[in-house]
């Protein structure tokens, strides 16, 4: 489950960052993988909060527009300033949002003692749903009603 969060973090950050904050955040995201209990999740959430507190002022650094100066691609022509570490802020925002919305560890509330969680949803894609996907792919012209009946069958 946490593999997808780690992929999102990697999307925002480079693999060979020179900034300490950009090295620590992917390392913190990597620690998500072995988490199996709500207690471990609470420890991880406190470590993330500590990381946020440590780098809070760093993440607020601003870059100001210079006359005829170069701007990052998402920055508009009339914009006077932008956050210097935009990619790091996006990566942090990814984790902060799923944590705040209680989506990050929601899967742990349904785990019974002694059962391990799968690391990804890949077994579902190749196992349970593969036959349905194959059926619908081979019969693409079915109306919605007929497709539903075919799935039920």
């Amino acid at each position: 489950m946490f593999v997808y969060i780690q992929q999102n973090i990697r999307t925002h950050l480079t693999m060979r960052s020179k900034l300490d904050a950009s090295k620590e955040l992917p390392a913190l995201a990597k620690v998500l993988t072995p988490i199996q209990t709500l207690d471990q999740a609470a420890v991880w959430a406190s470590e993330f909060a500590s990381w946020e507190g440590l780098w809070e002022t760093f993440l607020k650094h601003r870059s100001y527009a210079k006359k005829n100066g170069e701007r990052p691609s998402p920055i508009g022509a009339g914009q006077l300033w932008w956050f210097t570490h935009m990619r790091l802020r996006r990566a942090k925002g990814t984790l902060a949002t799923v944590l705040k919305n209680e989506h990050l560890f929601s899967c742990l509330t349904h785990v019974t003692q002694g059962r391990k969680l799968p690391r990804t949803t890949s077994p579902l894609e190749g196992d349970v749903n593969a036959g349905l996907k194959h059926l619908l792919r081979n019969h693409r012209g079915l109306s919605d009603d007929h497709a539903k009946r075919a799935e039920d069958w």
Side-chain angles (χ1 to χ4, degrees):
M1 309 298 170
F2 303 122
V3 173
Y4 304 113
I5 297 293
Q6 293 165 352
Q7 287 174 347
N8 285 336
I9 299 301
R10 254 184 267 129
T11 300
H12 296 303
L13 301 174
T14 63
M15 296 298 288
R16 295 189 180 115
S17 179
K18 294 177 178 134
L19 302 172
D20 289 338
S22 294
K23 291 177 185 175
E24 291 175 13
L25 191 60
L28 190 59
K30 243 183 195 177
V31 177
L32 283 169
T33 306
I35 292 177
Q36 295 287 324
T37 67
L38 290 173
D39 293 335
Q40 293 170 334
V43 169
W44 185 90
S46 68
E47 288 176 11
F48 178 68
S50 297
W51 182 90
E52 280 184 306
L54 177 66
W55 297 104
E56 183 179 8
T57 55
F58 179 75
L59 290 171
K60 290 181 180 176
H61 286 181
R62 293 179 177 188
S63 293
Y64 293 91
K66 297 176 184 166
K67 248 186 189 174
N68 301 324
E70 215 175 287
R71 297 167 181 263
S73 59
I75 305 303
Q79 204 164 333
L80 300 177
W81 66 269
W82 53 89
F83 288 107
T84 304
H85 309 289
M86 285 186 292
R87 296 174 66 109
L88 181 58
R89 287 176 62 88
R90 283 189 201 123
K92 182 208 87 139
T94 298
L95 285 171
T97 300
V98 293
L99 193 58
K100 178 182 148 204
N101 294 340
E102 298 179 2
H103 295 163
L104 187 58
F105 299 115
S106 62
C107 58
L108 296 179
T109 57
H110 304 293
V111 173
T112 57
Q113 285 291 12
R115 252 184 84 210
K116 284 201 163 210
L117 284 175
R119 291 184 180 205
T120 66
T121 57
S122 295
L124 289 175
E125 297 304 319
D127 188 23
V128 177
N129 297 329
L132 290 174
K133 284 183 174 182
H134 184 67
L135 171 80
L136 294 173
R137 190 178 311 113
N138 288 335
H139 300 282
R140 280 182 239 156
L142 293 176
S143 67
D144 289 342
D145 187 44
H146 284 146
K148 287 177 187 173
R149 279 193 274 155
E151 289 171 347
D152 290 341
W153 179 78

